[in-house]
Each structure stands twice: as structure tokens, then as C-alpha cells.
């Protein structure tokens, strides 16, 4: 069945839907114009949401979405990184404007730091020389400190807002939690210094599902435009970030992994026959890193 992500064919549907965004495996075939990869190469990738997912024996990807897998990782370990790495890269680099040359000494706050995106973001920011403060629960403290976090705020130990306002202001805030966080988080930024609040929890998908592509994008544009203007008048920048697959970004992440600056955080591995249990686990929340599905059993 041909997929129709833009819902152009109103009579069609999206099923069967293949889930999964991370993949690590071996190239079986390449297109005629592909020169950077060859059959037998071990690669990893984050699959775009408009393509069938990775919970299958084979996936089809464009060359610019694929990267050579880090040599220091197994396929199981590597499969824990591409989606969270691409999402964090989109938020911190593409949207937040951070890179290895301008990050040293910057104060970064990661809200909701013990999940997949959070654990990767801690390591990326520390690899680039930033000072990283995180919020998480007490039972994740050792995990985030092992990954390099400089300061941890326990969201269960009183008001997070009060605890954070007692600290020095931040150059960038990455919000993985959403909810009412943005009502107070922007007050923790350094005003009139180019500081940014970047959230990964946006109404974009909800708007497009509820209103359709055109009206949903229009509604989202109005929402972010009004919020960005309101906060700009207060001297800080408000931004949304979305997952964006990128082979070149994964190339840079691969170098960081092989140099020992970033490692995957795998909470649990399930076999392909245990996919329902894996999604039940994800539905319970409070992740500590990533859940991986091993398709081949090796």
C-alpha cells in the first residue's frame, strides 16, 4: 500500500503503519547515484516520519539520511542513538545556534534530562565545554552525573522554578517536558544576551492532525509567532524544535562516540516478538535512556 503522508489521496489510508525511527544495520543494495556507501557497509540512521519505520527486516532510506555506524558500538548500542541525536542536534544546533566553537562556558539548562534526548544532550554539551544543569528525579541523579551534568535539580524536592531562579541565569534552556514549564522557564534566561528557550513539546502535530496540513501549519505559525514576539520584547528568544533526520549530523556524532565523548544509554533491550511489551514500557514513562528492539536476535 502506498503511503500518503500529506493526505493528498483522501480515499487512502496510512495502514499498515510500521513504527520505529532508529535503525542500525548493514546496507544490502544502493541506488545508481549513491557513491558514499556500498553494500556491506555498517550504517545507522534516523528514519523520517513520512517513511515506513525500522521495526522490519529491511528499510529504504535516502543517502543523505544515512551515516556510517560508530566503529566502537554494536548494532544494539548504535540503535539507541540516531533519533535522539538527530532531535537534540535539531534543537541545540539548528535551532539553538550552538556548536563546538561557541559553547565553551555557556550555561545550559536541560529540563527532563534522564530520557533519550536529555541523556544525549548532556553529553553533547559537555563535549563542547558547556556548564550543564539538569532537572530530573532523585533516582536519576547518579545517571546524569555519570554523563557529566554539573548540577542537578530534583523536580520532586519543592518548586523547580524557585530552585532554578536561585541559580545564575542560563544562555539556553532545552525543554523536554512542556506543560506549564514555559510559563516560568524563560525568566531563568539571561535577558538581552541572545539567550534562547527551545522546546521540543509543541502543538504542531496536534494542530495538523486536528486541522489538516494547511490550516494546522497556519495555526502553528500564528502561535509561535505571537509567543516569540512576546518574549522578544522581554529580551529572550522563544523557539520550537522538531526532529530532523540528517546523515551529516550523525557523521559528527559518530566521531564523538568513537572518541569516547558520547555513549549510548540503553535502559532495556527487547526481541522483535516482545514489541508490544516494549511499547507498554514506553507508555509508563520515566525512561532512563533508550529502549531498543533487536530485530535479528544477535
Amino acid at each position: 500500500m502506498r503511503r500518503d503522508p500529506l493526505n493528498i489521496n483522501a480515499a487512502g489510508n496510512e495502514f499498515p503503519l510500521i513504527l520505529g525511527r532508529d535503525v542500525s544495520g548493514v546496507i544490502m543494495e544502493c541506488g545508481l547515484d549513491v557513491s558514499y556507501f556500498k553494500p556491506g557497509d555498517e550504517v545507522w540512521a534516523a528514519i523520517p516520519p513520512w517513511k515506513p519505520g525500522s521495526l522490519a527486516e529491511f528499510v529504504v532510506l535516502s543517502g543523505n539520511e544515512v551515516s556510517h555506524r560508530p566503529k566502537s558500538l554494536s548494532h544494539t548500542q548504535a540503535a539507541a542513538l540516531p533519533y535522539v541525536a538527530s532531535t537534540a542536534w535539531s534543537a541545540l544546533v539548528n535551532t539553538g545556534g550552538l556548536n563546538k566553537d561557541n559553547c565553551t562556558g555557556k550555561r545550559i539548562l536541560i529540563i527532563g534530562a534522564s530520557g533519550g534526548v536529555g541523556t544525549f544532550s548532556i553529553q553533547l554539551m559537555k563535549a563542547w565545554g558547556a556548564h550543564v544543569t539538569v532537572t530530573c528525579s532523585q533516582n536519576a541523579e547518579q545517571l546524569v552525573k555519570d554523563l557529566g551534568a554539573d548540577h542537578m535539580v530534583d523536580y520532586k524536592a519543592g518548586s523547580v522554578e524557585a530552585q532554578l531562579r536561585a541559580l545564575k541565569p542560563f544562555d539556553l534552556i532545552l525543554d523536554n517536558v512542556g506543560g506549564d514549564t514555559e510559563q516560568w522557564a524563560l525568566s531563568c534566561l539571561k535577558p538581552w544576551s541572545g539567550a534562547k528557550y527551545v522546546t521540543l513539546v509543541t502543538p504542531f502535530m496536534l494542530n495538523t492532525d486536528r486541522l489538516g496540513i494547511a490550516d494546522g501549519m497556519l495555526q502553528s505559525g500564528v502561535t509561535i509567532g505571537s509567543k516569540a514576539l512576546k518574549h522578544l520584547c522581554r529580551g529572550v528568544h522563544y523557539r520550537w524544535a522538531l526532529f530532523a533526520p540528517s546523515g551529516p549530523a550523525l557523521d559528527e556524532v559518530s566521531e564523538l562516540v568513537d572518541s569516547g565523548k558520547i555513549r549510548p544509554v540503553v535502559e532495556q533491550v527487547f526481541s522483535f516478538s516482545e514489541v508490544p511489551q516494549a511499547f507498554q514500557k514506553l507508555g509508563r514513562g520515566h525512561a532512563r535512556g533508550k529502549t531498543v528492539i533487536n530485530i535479528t536476535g544477535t
Side-chain angles (χ1 to χ4, degrees):
M1 182 178 293
R2 187 174 70 84
R3 292 176 58 79
D4 184 26
L6 299 181
N7 202 27
I8 296 172
N9 179 11
N13 61 58
E14 290 293 309
F15 296 99
L17 178 65
I18 302 175
L19 303 176
R21 293 297 113 197
D22 296 286
V23 62
S24 179
V26 179
I27 292 180
M28 302 300 293
E29 296 182 13
C30 292
L32 295 177
D33 295 330
V34 176
S35 58
Y36 191 60
F37 302 99
K38 65 183 185 301
D41 283 355
E42 297 189 347
V43 297
W44 62 347
I47 302 175
W50 54 86
K51 292 185 177 181
S54 58
L55 295 182
E57 291 184 280
F58 301 96
V59 298
V60 179
L61 293 167
S62 301
N64 62 353
E65 297 161 352
V66 180
S67 169
H68 287 102
R69 191 197 75 187
K71 295 180 176 61
S72 58
L73 299 184
S74 67
H75 284 298
T76 300
Q77 293 171 318
L81 279 175
Y83 180 79
V84 296
S86 300
T87 303
W89 196 275
S90 174
L92 297 169
V93 180
N94 300 344
T95 305
L98 300 177
N99 58 61
K100 61 184 178 181
D101 298 319
N102 69 5
C103 216
T104 302
K106 292 257 179 97
R107 288 181 54 78
I108 310 298
L109 170 62
I110 301 172
I111 300 175
S114 63
V117 174
T119 53
F120 177 87
S121 299
I122 294 170
Q123 297 179 86
L124 180 63
M125 292 294 92
K126 291 305 298 178
W128 287 351
H131 180 282
V132 179
T133 299
V134 303
T135 71
C136 59
S137 61
Q138 185 67 37
N139 60 16
E141 180 179 10
Q142 192 58 51
L143 169 64
V144 298
K145 286 188 174 180
D146 288 346
L147 296 176
D150 297 289
H151 185 77
M152 192 275 284
V153 171
D154 182 1
Y155 68 83
K156 294 183 178 179
S159 169
V160 175
E161 178 183 359
Q163 293 181 73
L164 290 174
R165 283 190 173 180
L167 305 175
K168 293 180 180 179
F170 298 94
D171 296 290
L172 185 139
I173 296 175
L174 175 61
D175 185 4
N176 299 300
V177 175
D180 63 354
T181 305
E182 68 178 55
Q183 296 179 15
W184 54 263
L186 284 95
S187 64
C188 297
L189 290 169
K190 296 178 183 177
W192 308 109
S193 65
K196 296 183 179 72
Y197 167 87
V198 181
T199 180
L200 287 165
V201 186
T202 78
F204 182 80
M205 292 302 296
L206 178 63
N207 286 342
T208 54
D209 285 346
R210 182 169 55 90
L211 302 174
I213 295 291
D215 290 344
M217 292 181 69
L218 177 61
Q219 178 62 55
S220 297
V222 171
T223 300
I224 189 172
S226 61
K227 289 186 176 184
L229 182 60
K230 180 181 73 173
H231 293 295
L232 185 61
C233 294
R234 300 173 182 174
V236 295
H237 297 275
Y238 176 96
R239 297 287 187 269
W240 289 355
L242 301 170
F243 159 66
S246 171
L250 289 179
D251 287 341
E252 295 198 44
V253 172
S254 184
E255 292 180 9
L256 290 167
V257 171
D258 282 336
S259 66
K261 295 180 180 179
I262 290 179
R263 64 178 174 87
V265 180
V266 179
E267 183 177 25
Q268 192 170 351
V269 179
F270 291 86
S271 68
F272 188 59
S273 63
E274 296 173 318
V275 167
Q277 294 95 308
F279 277 97
Q280 288 173 359
K281 173 192 170 298
L282 291 176
R284 292 192 289 270
H286 302 289
R288 299 290 180 264
K290 287 294 295 290
T291 298
V292 175
I293 305 296
N294 191 332
I295 300 290
T296 64
T298 59

